[in-house]
Amino acid sequence: MKPNSTDDYDPVALEVIRNAIKSTAEEMGVTLTRTAYSTNIKDRKDLSCAVYSKNGELVAQAEHVPLHLGMMPSAVKAALKEVDSLNPGDSIMHNDPYLSGSHLPDVMVFTPVFNNGERVGIVGNLAHHVDVGGSAPGSTPPDATEIFQEGLRFPPVKIRKDGKVDPEIVDIFLNNLRTKEVSKGDLSAQISSNLRGKNNIVELAKKYGNNHLISNIDMILDYSESRMRNSILEIENDVGAFRDYIEGDGILSESTDIPIEVEVKISDDEIYVDFEGTAEETEGPLNAVRPLTLSCVYFVTKAVVDPDLPTNDGAYRPINVHTPEGTVVNANFPAPTGIANAITSQRIVDALLGAFKEIVPERVMTASAGTMNGVTIGGEKPESGEFYTYVETYGGGQGAMHDLDGMDGVHTNMTNTRNAPVEVLENTYPFEIKQYGLVENSAGSGKHRGGLGIIREILIRNDAQVTVGTDRNRHRPWGSYGGNDAQGTNITLTHPDGTTTSLGTKQTLEVDAGSTFVFETAGGGGWGDPLERPPEKVLENVKDGYISKTIAEEEYGVVITNSEVDYDATKELRQQIQE
């Protein structure tokens, strides 16, 4: 889409600027990961980096964590309202969920970009710190009933003024944390990342001029809007609705269902999303603030309507979202928000996919693991007495599609972090990793099977606090069109005396040295009748250890003898099952 004046329109320069801005966001991410201290950021890449217009509109975001799609623009715009003035050399820090939509461990740092005294853009990043205080290591206690129990909440403040870091603000921040040195290093890495991005945008402004750069940023946003509208027009006007559930909120029993209900309407070149009927905000920390819900909507819409669409604010102008106030998708202060990122966001996505499935089934996968499977272990290192906090989210099975099996043991939907390597964990924390692999038979069977979940077994060598925030134990990831549901989440703790306890999906507990923690994540749902899966694929999965011979017979109707398919017996068995 061209501007009103064609004087600034140069299609070659526009494409160069667009790619330069996107590359800047990626380069900021590399800088942040290479200079960070914590395993959660430098190894797992629990972060996002982005470039914004001078008014805080998202122009480009690196391919990091989809959850941050709607959060980071909200956080920037909120910061611009809260801070009186921005000058060259300033940087703003904040982690207020009611402004950003995230939870307290997600600390955001934004830096304005000036050239010749004029603001031409903003660069920013978000990084998940391993601790920001609160009642439990990791700052996401599942039993929190108000935000104050979850840690330190910073309003937008200038962490840098005139090019110098404010030591008093840094001291206030660090004085409330369990992991001071690690968080100090991560905060410095965030500031360095922004400086790298700022320098790149200044170079663009010097090369093309301020006015030309600003007008091209506007064109980038307008192009994405136009492309999104055209892509929506390719879908027939229709309505789809779906309801899914979360199992308890950390305070309410896990037998209590918390519904997420959504209706999606396609109307010409716009999409209307309505969460009417969703549960009221919960006492426990499952509460999403509106920007988090918007992130989920933007992610699903992009994935379903136009996966290759550039990620920016322009793309989401045709999307209209109703989030009833005071519900679990639009909670109010001081409702706790700590585990909404890991659980509520994923259930919102599942509900949205279920609604879109009624409109464009060939574009939608079945339910994936449905939770980020948050795990935090905190304590003191026995050799030094230094506090440590291990934070990780575990992958699971991806849902199947009409023409594809789901991927095994991956992060899906709103999360895109890496796993923490076993070697790093054992060198950094007082752990021994006893087992790490895929969970046999955890995938939902189907013509196209779902992905397998993950098992991780950790021997904890010292007394510690363990926090888990997960879901999908009773309401297992659903299959579609005859495909079966996947296996759900299962967590156990084996005590030093050899006794084993089944753990809930949302709890914090004290564990003794020598305890073994075992976490099995959910798989992905299957697509289509399992009896239509080619026997050769079933045999391959048995040989790989993905499914057992028993499941091959009972769910797929495939008889395997001496590591080969018995085709006659298979034909007979499938006929019996169908009858």
Side-chain angles (χ1 to χ4, degrees):
M1 184 177 293
K2 298 181 182 181
N4 294 329
S5 171
T6 58
D7 293 341
D8 286 334
Y9 182 65
D10 179 344
V12 174
L14 177 63
E15 191 65 8
V16 170
I17 290 171
R18 185 181 73 83
N19 282 283
I21 291 174
K22 177 68 185 301
S23 296
T24 293
E26 297 286 354
E27 189 174 339
M28 290 168 63
V30 172
T31 301
L32 181 47
T33 54
R34 288 186 175 180
T35 56
Y37 277 39
S38 69
T39 297
N40 196 51
I41 298 174
K42 70 179 180 181
D43 293 301
R44 296 192 58 249
K45 295 191 175 182
D46 194 347
L47 61 98
S48 283
C49 296
V51 178
Y52 307 84
S53 73
K54 65 177 184 178
N55 297 318
E57 295 174 296
L58 178 66
V59 181
Q61 184 168 352
E63 294 182 1
H64 292 139
V65 180
L67 181 67
H68 303 152
L69 276 172
M71 293 178 179
M72 294 182 69
S74 298
V76 172
K77 292 170 185 175
L80 292 178
K81 291 180 181 179
E82 294 288 326
V83 176
D84 291 336
S85 64
L86 283 176
N87 303 302
D90 289 350
S91 290
I92 301 171
M93 176 185 83
H94 81 90
N95 70 335
D96 189 338
Y98 306 103
L99 299 179
S100 69
S102 194
H103 55 185
L104 291 175
D106 282 343
V107 177
M108 307 179 194
V109 180
F110 306 109
T111 302
V113 180
F114 287 84
N115 184 51
N116 295 328
E118 180 183 9
R119 192 167 80 207
V120 296
I122 298 171
V123 295
N125 63 67
L126 177 156
H128 184 126
H129 285 239
V130 294
D131 192 84
V132 289
S135 63
S139 310
T140 55
D143 58 351
T145 57
E146 56 183 7
I147 191 71
F148 309 110
Q149 296 165 334
E150 296 181 317
L152 183 65
R153 182 166 61 101
F154 256 97
V157 293
K158 289 187 179 181
I159 188 70
R160 279 176 78 245
K161 301 173 183 175
D162 299 324
K164 296 181 180 180
V165 174
D166 188 323
E168 293 181 348
I169 292 178
V170 173
D171 286 345
I172 292 171
F173 178 60
L174 298 179
N175 201 49
N176 286 274
L177 314 186
R178 296 173 176 85
T179 53
K180 292 184 179 182
E181 291 304 313
V182 169
S183 289
K184 182 179 181 180
D186 287 346
L187 185 59
S188 296
Q190 289 184 263
I191 294 171
S192 297
S193 170
N194 281 1
L195 295 181
R196 177 67 271 170
K198 184 190 77 169
N199 291 341
N200 285 10
I201 301 302
V202 168
E203 289 178 9
L204 281 176
K206 289 180 177 179
K207 180 176 181 179
Y208 292 100
N210 290 356
N211 291 338
H212 191 68
L213 175 61
I214 292 170
S215 66
N216 274 264
I217 286 174
D218 291 338
M219 280 187 274
I220 291 170
L221 299 175
D222 291 343
Y223 165 77
S224 292
E225 177 186 0
S226 176
R227 180 166 158 179
M228 174 61 91
R229 291 188 183 278
N230 288 334
S231 296
I232 295 171
L233 284 170
E234 295 175 2
I235 302 174
E236 292 186 8
N237 288 350
D238 204 348
V239 178
F242 198 83
R243 172 181 281 200
D244 212 329
Y245 300 91
I246 302 173
E247 303 159 359
D249 68 344
I251 303 297
L252 292 172
S253 164
E254 292 177 26
S255 63
T256 302
D257 287 340
I258 299 170
I260 305 290
E261 186 166 336
V262 65
E263 179 184 86
V264 174
K265 179 181 178 181
I266 308 295
S267 180
D268 299 329
D269 65 349
E270 297 205 345
I271 295 176
Y272 295 85
V273 179
D274 189 348
F275 286 93
E276 197 68 47
T278 291
E280 294 182 358
E281 62 184 51
T282 61
E283 185 180 4
L286 279 177
N287 300 292
V289 182
R290 179 175 164 84
L292 183 149
T293 303
L294 293 179
S295 293
C296 301
V297 174
Y298 296 160
F299 165 78
V300 173
T301 303
K302 183 178 187 294
V304 172
V305 176
D306 190 348
D308 296 323
L309 186 71
T311 302
N312 60 52
D313 268 3
Y316 309 121
R317 291 171 182 167
I319 303 172
N320 307 277
V321 184
H322 172 56
T323 53
E325 189 173 354
T327 64
V328 76
V329 296
N330 186 6
N332 295 311
F333 174 84
T337 65
I339 56 177
N341 285 31
I343 299 172
T344 310
S345 70
Q346 298 285 60
R347 195 62 67 256
I348 293 171
V349 167
D350 287 339
L352 286 163
L353 289 173
F356 269 109
K357 177 165 63 74
E358 297 184 0
I359 303 172
V360 281
E362 73 283 357
R363 300 190 185 191
V364 178
M365 64 184 177
T366 62
S368 298
T371 167
M372 298 182 194
N373 299 302
V375 178
T376 302
I377 304 175
E380 296 183 19
K381 294 183 178 180
E383 68 278 5
S384 64
E386 176 187 0
F387 284 108
Y388 74 87
T389 302
Y390 157 69
V391 175
E392 187 166 6
T393 53
Y394 296 162
Q398 183 186 45
M401 293 194 69
H402 75 286
D403 57 351
L404 289 172
D405 290 347
M407 295 179 68
D408 304 311
V410 293
H411 285 283
T412 56
N413 296 332
M414 299 310 292
T415 175
N416 188 38
T417 53
R418 295 184 177 184
N419 67 340
V422 170
E423 298 82 359
V424 171
L425 294 183
E426 293 186 334
N427 283 322
T428 306
Y429 306 106
F431 301 159
E432 179 183 346
I433 310 302
K434 307 291 288 186
Q435 183 181 182
Y436 187 36
L438 300 175
V439 182
E440 185 185 45
N441 296 330
S442 57
S445 56
K447 179 181 179 180
H448 300 286
R449 69 167 178 84
L452 295 166
I454 286 174
I455 182 170
R456 178 168 268 178
E457 181 178 353
I458 303 176
L459 172 63
I460 304 173
R461 296 190 178 280
N462 68 313
D463 294 345
Q465 266 190 322
V466 174
T467 296
V468 292
T470 184
D471 205 63
R472 285 300 195 199
N473 177 266
R474 288 186 300 108
H475 293 287
R476 301 183 301 167
W478 41 264
S480 294
Y481 301 100
N484 291 334
D485 297 346
Q487 178 177 297
T489 303
N490 185 49
I491 312 171
T492 60
L493 183 70
T494 299
H495 304 279
D497 63 4
T499 59
T500 298
T501 303
S502 292
L503 301 185
T505 56
K506 304 167 187 69
Q507 68 179 105
T508 296
L509 69 158
E510 304 285 342
V511 301
D512 296 326
S515 298
T516 301
F517 172 75
V518 181
F519 199 127
E520 294 182 8
T521 69
W527 182 292
D529 188 346
L531 299 182
E532 295 181 14
R533 188 169 178 82
E536 297 78 13
K537 286 192 174 183
V538 177
L539 174 62
E540 180 183 350
N541 289 163
V542 171
K543 287 182 175 180
D544 288 339
Y546 294 167
I547 62 174
S548 65
K549 291 176 67 174
T550 300
I551 292 295
E553 290 191 18
E554 293 180 353
E555 298 190 13
Y556 290 97
V558 175
V559 179
I560 299 172
T561 305
N562 297 325
S563 298
E564 296 294 337
V565 175
D566 185 330
Y567 287 96
D568 291 335
T570 294
K571 181 179 180 181
E572 181 179 349
L573 178 58
R574 286 188 164 182
Q575 288 176 343
Q576 291 176 359
I577 294 174
Q578 287 175 329
E579 293 172 358

